[in-house]
């Protein structure tokens, strides 16, 4: 297994200085209901030195204990690369009151460029673009247990180690398709989309006629 560091509830303050440019990030929760299922784990990779950090959260998770990760994710000078940012951003807002700034969502980039495909899952992109077979078997495991298994840690890391290569590939596709400006506008709208999700409009297209 490649190298990683595991922390409880927050990153150490001195680690923040080492972040430059891009950060890839993912979260694991107790389930898919943001209001019911708490945040259990944040995985991130500092793309300037390829270091992976795993931050595990207690059941009494609170913004007061996680100030460093908040300031890192709210730093506008660092790009946060997610796959399906909408979900992770809502989770981070709901659990830790984090307003993630400067986001690149590989799922939206894929939808705007790979119009020949209906498959925009992380596994599909990693297979097609990077020719790597991703194992998703730990996806539904219990992320709240005291000690994570080796398999869980490997799975958690797999969800962040390919995102930077995907971003490079998809960014080129966005430029080629002349859709980079549209993509950026969507990224700027994401915090409003997340706000609507958390206000109860998660299953409504607010722009729809009916
Ligand atoms: Mn994941």
């Amino acid at each position: 297994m490649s190298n990683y560091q595991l922390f409880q509830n927050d990153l150490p303050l001195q680690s923040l200085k080492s972040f430059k440019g891009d950060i890839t990030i993912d979260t694991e929760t107790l389930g898919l209901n943001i209001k019911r299922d708490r945040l259990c784990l944040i995985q991130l990779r500092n793309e300037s030195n390829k270091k992976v950090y795993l931050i595990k959260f207690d059941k009494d998770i609170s913004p007061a204990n996680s100030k460093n990760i908040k300031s890192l994710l709210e730093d506008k000078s660092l790009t946060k690369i997610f796959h399906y940012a909408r979900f992770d951003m809502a989770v981070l807002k709901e659990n830790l009151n984090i307003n993630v700034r400067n986001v690149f969502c590989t799922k939206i980039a894929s939808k705007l460029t790979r119009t020949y495909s209906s498959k925009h899952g992380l596994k599909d992109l990693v297979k097609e673009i990077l020719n790597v077979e991703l194992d998703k078997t730990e996806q539904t495991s219990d992320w709240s247990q005291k000690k994570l298994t080796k398999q869980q840690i490997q799975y958690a890391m797999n969800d962040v180690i390919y995102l930077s290569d995907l971003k490079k590939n998809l960014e080129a596709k966005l430029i080629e398709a002349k859709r980079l400006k549209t993509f950026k506008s969507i990224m700027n709208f994401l915090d409003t989309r997340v706000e609507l999700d958390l206000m109860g409009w998660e299953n409504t297209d607010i722009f729809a006629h009916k």
Side-chain angles (χ1 to χ4, degrees), residues 80-96:
K80 307 353 165 278
I81 311 168
F82 293 89
H83 186 76
Y84 198 46
R86 179 181 174 183
F87 180 79
D88 298 293
M89 285 171 73
V91 166
L92 291 163
K93 175 71 183 170
E94 177 71 13
N95 288 269
L96 298 174

Side-chain angles (χ1 to χ4, degrees), residues 12-67:
L13 183 60
Q14 69 269 21
S15 73
L16 299 194
K17 292 193 295 282
S18 69
F19 286 88
K20 277 171 199 78
D22 288 356
I23 302 172
T24 61
I25 172 163
D26 185 37
T27 64
E28 304 299 335
T29 56
L30 275 180
L32 294 177
N33 184 319
I34 292 164
K35 296 281 178 183
R36 180 193 62 195
D37 304 319
R38 74 168 173 91
L39 172 66
C40 296
L41 188 75
I42 296 177
Q43 308 98 280
L44 48 93
R45 187 163 82 164
N46 179 349
E47 291 301 322
S48 68
N49 59 15
K50 305 289 181 196
K51 274 194 184 158
V52 175
Y53 299 90
L54 305 178
I55 311 165
K56 211 175 170 305
F57 293 90
D58 309 327
K59 63 174 185 304
D60 52 349
I61 181 169
S62 145
N65 301 327
S66 308
K67 291 189 173 136

